[in-house]
């Protein structure tokens, strides 16, 4: 294991795995596409349960991880042995099959770097300088190169035991492998490769939910570790300063090879989630006024409250620079935030201004049971990527009144929750986001907003992931890209599996493009009451996407419209279901399942609501509270129903002529 020279066996490996967020997404249909990419080496090491992994290819040579567009890759041979997995590739089916049981920290039996401790007197003296000698040791070619310059030679007894590993440029480095920085160009191709974990198909995606398609290079296959390790129950994190990847089990327990999502841990975070603060309250209470707080260091917050500490701060400013060393830790536990409450800490800010100009620097972050931040008349600006306005995780809570938020970077929602189902409650204020993947609201918890305006210039208006919710009252919400509101389940481990919920009373929802509501890979409940909808000819789209297991990753949508004016079609694919109910004077203009592809389509109209058809529509169930059908405006189009369905028994299998030439008739 150690003692072998490190070889960059890039093209001899079978499969590599991505370890870090922000991975580039491959084309959606990338079969046989080829391109040349530049990969980089920077001395990356990998640790499982705090023990360094020995990374070797099929020839037994140590392999150095490399990075491409911010994503770190390494060979399947290395990662599968480190995790005690068996990996097979079915070339005919273009399928990678992973099986086995993950190692715990007490079970490491050859998948970590080892060696006999050195004995003897450590060498002393000034190390020599100059070009190191090269060539085969004593019984071969004599060493060559410039002789060392003057200096005191080392003295003392030579150490005994297995020597540490030696890297490619000749530096002994022990168990902490180190490599010179360099770049190489390789040619890769996409072949629609599928990856299975104990028989379950995996969707491979980065921390932001972007799909990553496996690629091959000279017969070797490369794919992302994030998706695999999280399916195992591991949490990967990256320490930028030390170029170290950490793999740890959720709750400190070994993961299981289920191939399916598990509930996120309650109150547990990466074991390397540590940070400092300029103004700290640790178990104490303080009340301060007119403070200027400047935080400039890596992983340093401007304000940090912990261990039930309480801070009340008025008429003050917080200015945060200095990037996070770990995007995982900044996203999940708030390390490097401008203002951070953890371990039941409480922060109350009034008439304050918060600015962060650093990567991975959320402005306001509450994490852990009992942790809360209360804001009133606060102005927030974040300027770099992965820097949200208000964020809460692991049952933390943020309550805000009249807060104005502006974010500029990518993946910077104005209001967000992440792992552990935090709560955000906002009343009043104006919030704007500019970056890609930066919706006004991103919920993996509970987000409640009243009397506010949120505008997303580079993303959807709002997103709900997993069994979580967004509740809006008199809110003006708009999105410029993709869709209005997206409800989905990514299986990234960031959100527990269950029903996604969106409830809107009053206000306005605007989608500049795409459907107003897009649902995939989840059960969904959408309730609208007196809200104004604008800007789309698709009302609801439910379909399989890149998340979930193929064939069962559609959506099941329950949609209720109360006193609404609706415009746009309702669409579902063959593995998705939509049940729509319209009541209390709702009017709708559009078609339902016009393509006749939906797995299930159901519509219920009360007597006060009406439907104006824009195309033939096909319904498994149709119930109309107006037995005269006067609330159907056919415009020459027909409604086809399933005469065998119990819900349709009131129609007695009959055909009814509608005023403009259309019909209501059995399929």
């Amino acid at each position: 294991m150690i003692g072998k020279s490190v070889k960059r066996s890039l093209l001899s490996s079978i499969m590599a795995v991505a370890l870090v967020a922000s991975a580039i997404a491959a084309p959606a249909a990338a079969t046989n596409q080829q391109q040349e990419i530049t990969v980089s080496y920077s001395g990356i090491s990998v640790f499982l349960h705090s023990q360094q992994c020995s990374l070797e290819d099929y020839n037994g040579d140590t392999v150095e991880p490399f990075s491409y567009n911010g994503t770190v890759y390494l060979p399947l041979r290395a990662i599968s042995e480190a995790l005690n997995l068996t990996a097979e590739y079915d070339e005919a089916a273009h399928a990678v099959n992973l099986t086995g049981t993950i190692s715990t920290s007490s079970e490491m039996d050859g998948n970590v770097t080892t060696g006999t401790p050195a004995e003897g007197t450590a060498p002393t003296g000034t190390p020599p300088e100059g070009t190191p000698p090269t060539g085969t040791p004593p019984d071969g070619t004599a060493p060559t190169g410039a002789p060392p310059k003057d200096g005191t030679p080392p003295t003392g007894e030579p150490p005994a035991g297995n020597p540490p590993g030696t890297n490619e440029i000749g530096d002994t480095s022990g168990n902490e492998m180190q490599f010179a920085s360099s770049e190489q160009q390789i040619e890769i191709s996409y072949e629609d490769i599928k990856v299975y974990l104990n028989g379950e198909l995996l969707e491979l995606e980065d921390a932001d939910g972007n799909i990553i398609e496996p690629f091959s290079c000279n017969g070797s296959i490369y794919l992302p570790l994030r998706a695999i390790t999280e399916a195992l129950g591991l949490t990967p994190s990256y320490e930028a300063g030390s170029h170290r990847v950490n793999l740890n089990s959720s709750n400190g327990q070994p993961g299981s090879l289920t191939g399916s999502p598990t509930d996120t841990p309650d109150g547990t975070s990466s074991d390397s989630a540590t940070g400092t603060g300029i103004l700290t309250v640790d178990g104490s209470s303080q009340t301060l006024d007119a403070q200027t707080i400047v935080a400039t260091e890596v992983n340093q917050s401007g304000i940090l409250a912990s261990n039930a500490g309480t801070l009340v701060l008025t008429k003050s400013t917080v200015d945060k620079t200095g990037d996070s060393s770990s995007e995982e830790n900044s996203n999940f536990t708030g390390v490097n935030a401008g203002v951070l409450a953890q371990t039941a800490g409480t922060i109350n800010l009034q008439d304050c201004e918060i600015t962060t100009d650093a990567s991975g620097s959320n402005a306001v972050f509450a994490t852990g049971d009992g942790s809360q931040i209360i804001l009133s008349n606060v102005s927030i600006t974040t300027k770099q990527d992965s820097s949200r306005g208000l964020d809460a995780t692991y049952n933390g809570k943020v309550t805000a009144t009249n807060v104005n938020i502006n974010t500029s970077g990518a993946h910077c929602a104005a209001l967000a929750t992440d792992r552990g189902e935090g709560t955000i409650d906002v009343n009043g204020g104006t919030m704007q986001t500019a970056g890609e993947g930066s919706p006004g609201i991103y919920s993996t918890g509970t987000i409640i907003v009243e009397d506010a305006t949120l505008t997303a210039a580079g993303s959807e208006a709002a997103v709900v992931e997993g069994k979580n919710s967004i509740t809006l009252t008199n809110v003006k919400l708009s999105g410029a890209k993709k869709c209005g509101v997206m409800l989905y389940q990514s299986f990234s481990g960031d959100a527990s599996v269950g029903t996604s919920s969106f409830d809107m009373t009053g206000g306005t929802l605007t989608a500049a493009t795409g459907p107003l509501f897009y649902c995939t890979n989840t059960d969904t409940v959408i309730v609208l009451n007196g809200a104004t909808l604008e800007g789309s000819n698709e009302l609801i789209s439910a379909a399989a996407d890149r998340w979930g297991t193929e064939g069962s990753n559609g959506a099941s949508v329950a949609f209720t419209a109360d006193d609404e004016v609706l415009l746009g079609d309702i669409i579902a694919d063959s593995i998705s279901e939509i049940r729509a109910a319209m009541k209390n004077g709702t009017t709708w203009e559009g078609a339902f399942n016009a393509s006749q592809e939906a797995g299930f389509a159901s519509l219920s109209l009360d007597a006060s609501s009406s439907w104006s058809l824009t195309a033939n529509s096909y319904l498994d169930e149709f119930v109309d509270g107006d037995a005269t059908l006067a609330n159907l405006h056919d415009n020459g189009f027909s409604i086809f129903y399933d005469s065998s369905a119990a819900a349709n028994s009131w129609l007695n299998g009959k055909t009814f002529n509608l005023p403009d030439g259309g019909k209501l008739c059995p399929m």
Side-chain angles (χ1 to χ4, degrees):
M1 292 208 178
I2 63 171
K4 295 181 180 178
S5 63
V6 175
K7 298 182 180 179
R8 292 182 174 143
S9 305
L10 176 63
L11 303 183
S12 64
S13 60
I14 289 292
M15 179 169 67
V17 204
L19 296 170
V20 180
S22 306
I24 188 169
T31 303
N32 297 326
Q33 290 188 5
Q34 294 185 341
Q35 68 182 75
E36 190 173 84
I37 65 172
T38 299
V39 300
S40 301
Y41 296 88
S42 58
I44 297 166
S45 56
V46 180
F47 287 74
L48 175 63
H49 302 305
S50 300
Q51 299 190 54
Q52 187 174 7
C53 299
S54 177
L55 307 176
E56 298 179 349
D57 65 13
Y58 279 91
N59 297 320
D61 296 321
T62 302
V63 185
E64 178 186 354
F66 67 87
S67 64
Y68 168 55
N69 277 6
T71 300
V72 179
Y73 294 84
L74 62 118
L76 171 66
R77 169 75 174 195
I79 198 61
S80 61
E81 289 194 350
L83 299 176
N84 277 352
L85 301 179
T86 299
E88 297 179 351
Y89 179 58
D90 185 338
E91 185 172 1
H94 296 288
V96 173
N97 297 297
L98 301 173
T99 56
T101 303
I102 187 173
S103 297
T104 68
S105 57
S106 62
E107 293 172 341
M108 313 300 277
D109 57 356
N111 54 345
V112 294
T113 313
T114 59
T116 305
E119 298 177 356
T121 305
T124 61
T126 305
E129 299 178 357
T131 306
T134 61
T136 307
D139 58 352
T141 305
T144 61
K149 295 182 179 180
D150 294 338
T152 305
T155 62
E157 298 178 17
N162 294 338
T166 304
N167 74 14
E168 194 173 60
I169 59 174
D171 297 326
T172 57
S173 57
N175 288 347
E176 294 283 345
M177 295 186 296
Q178 299 175 0
F179 303 95
S181 297
S182 65
E183 292 187 348
Q184 293 185 17
Q185 286 189 327
I186 61 173
E187 186 174 283
I188 66 173
S189 62
Y190 296 99
E191 299 173 353
D192 195 23
I193 297 164
K194 305 294 184 185
V195 181
Y196 295 85
L197 181 58
N198 278 3
E200 295 286 339
L201 179 66
L202 294 182
E203 292 292 345
L204 309 179
E205 42 181 58
D206 63 19
D208 300 309
N210 299 315
I211 201 72
I212 305 174
E213 183 172 351
F215 62 78
S216 66
C217 176
N218 285 8
S220 300
I221 302 166
Y222 297 83
L223 68 156
L225 179 65
R226 169 176 297 279
I228 296 170
T229 55
E230 289 189 344
L232 290 166
L234 293 172
T235 299
S237 63
Y238 180 63
E239 298 177 9
S242 61
H243 303 291
R244 167 171 167 164
V245 173
N246 296 298
L247 304 176
N248 294 288
S249 296
S250 300
N251 293 321
Q253 299 300 318
S256 60
L257 277 167
T258 62
S260 60
T262 59
D263 285 346
T264 56
D266 293 327
T268 303
S269 60
S270 169
D271 65 355
S272 57
T274 58
T276 60
I278 295 295
L279 173 57
T280 64
V281 287
D282 187 350
S284 61
S285 296
Q286 291 190 50
T287 299
L288 299 171
D289 181 64
Q291 303 293 304
T292 299
I293 302 161
V294 179
T296 61
E297 301 297 324
V298 172
N299 297 341
Q300 183 183 65
S301 294
I303 300 173
L304 175 60
S306 57
N307 297 320
T310 300
L311 171 68
V312 177
L313 183 66
T314 58
K315 298 178 182 178
S316 299
T317 62
V318 177
D319 192 349
K320 163 62 187 167
T321 57
D323 293 344
S324 170
S325 69
S326 168
E327 187 173 315
E328 298 274 349
N329 291 339
S330 61
N331 286 346
F332 300 155
T333 58
V335 172
N336 210 53
V339 176
L340 173 60
Q342 62 185 18
T343 57
T346 297
I347 300 172
N348 190 321
L349 302 182
Q350 302 170 25
D351 303 309
C352 293
E353 182 176 337
I354 304 166
T355 302
T356 74
D357 191 357
S359 177
S361 185
N362 300 287
V364 173
F365 202 106
T367 184
D369 289 336
S371 297
Q372 62 176 326
I373 300 177
I374 303 165
L375 310 172
S376 178
N377 300 321
V378 174
S379 175
I380 291 172
T381 302
T382 74
K383 299 181 179 180
Q384 303 297 330
D385 294 347
S386 294
S387 301
R388 298 154 190 84
L390 309 182
D391 205 339
T393 64
Y394 299 113
N395 298 321
K397 183 174 182 179
V398 177
T399 302
T401 302
N402 296 328
V403 171
N404 297 322
I405 300 172
N406 283 276
T407 72
S408 300
H411 314 300
C412 297
L415 310 178
T417 52
D418 214 307
R419 291 193 172 184
E421 301 175 6
T423 298
I424 304 285
D425 194 336
V426 173
N427 191 318
T430 300
M431 289 138 249
Q432 298 178 331
T433 67
E436 181 271 333
S438 301
I441 306 172
Y442 193 102
S443 178
T444 63
T446 300
I447 297 184
I448 303 166
V449 186
E450 184 174 355
D451 296 323
T453 299
L454 298 101
T455 304
S459 180
E460 9 347 50
V463 177
V464 181
E465 180 178 357
K467 71 173 186 66
N468 300 296
S469 66
I470 294 174
T471 303
L472 309 178
T473 304
N474 298 327
V475 170
K476 186 175 181 180
L477 177 66
S478 64
K481 296 184 178 179
K482 298 181 181 178
C483 63
V485 177
M486 178 175 174
L487 302 103
Y488 82 120
Q489 176 71 59
S490 74
F491 290 168
S492 67
D494 295 337
S496 299
V497 178
T499 299
S500 303
S501 176
F502 181 88
D503 192 312
M504 186 173 192
T505 300
T508 303
L509 171 62
T510 302
T513 186
L516 277 159
F517 296 96
Y518 178 62
C519 310
T520 182
N521 197 38
T522 191
D523 293 339
T524 299
V525 173
I526 301 168
V527 178
L528 304 178
N529 189 337
T532 300
L533 308 182
E534 298 178 349
S536 177
N537 59 2
E538 286 186 26
L539 179 58
I540 304 172
S541 176
D545 206 316
R546 60 181 185 257
W547 300 281
T549 302
E550 185 176 356
S552 60
N553 57 340
S556 178
V557 181
F559 173 76
T560 300
D562 188 333
D563 187 24
E564 288 290 326
V565 177
L566 305 176
L567 175 65
D569 296 341
I570 298 178
I571 301 168
D573 68 6
S574 62
I575 57 173
S576 297
E577 303 178 351
I578 299 181
R579 293 168 173 83
M582 302 179 185
K583 61 184 182 179
N584 294 331
T586 293
T587 64
W588 172 41
E589 181 179 347
F592 197 155
N593 190 28
S595 65
Q596 206 175 351
E597 295 178 356
F600 189 85
S602 171
L603 175 63
S604 174
L605 293 174
D606 74 358
S608 67
S609 299
S610 63
W611 178 15
S612 180
L613 278 77
T614 57
N616 289 340
S617 298
Y618 299 83
L619 301 174
D620 294 280
E621 294 180 351
F622 176 59
V623 176
D624 191 345
D626 183 352
T628 70
L629 307 179
N631 57 353
L632 299 180
H633 309 298
D634 61 290
N635 299 310
F637 300 107
S638 295
I639 303 169
F640 298 90
Y641 67 91
D642 180 359
S643 59
S644 67
N648 298 330
S649 60
W650 68 284
L651 295 170
N652 293 317
K654 295 181 180 180
T655 296
F656 301 86
N657 293 320
L658 301 177
D660 295 325
K663 295 181 179 182
L664 172 62
C665 59
M667 291 186 190

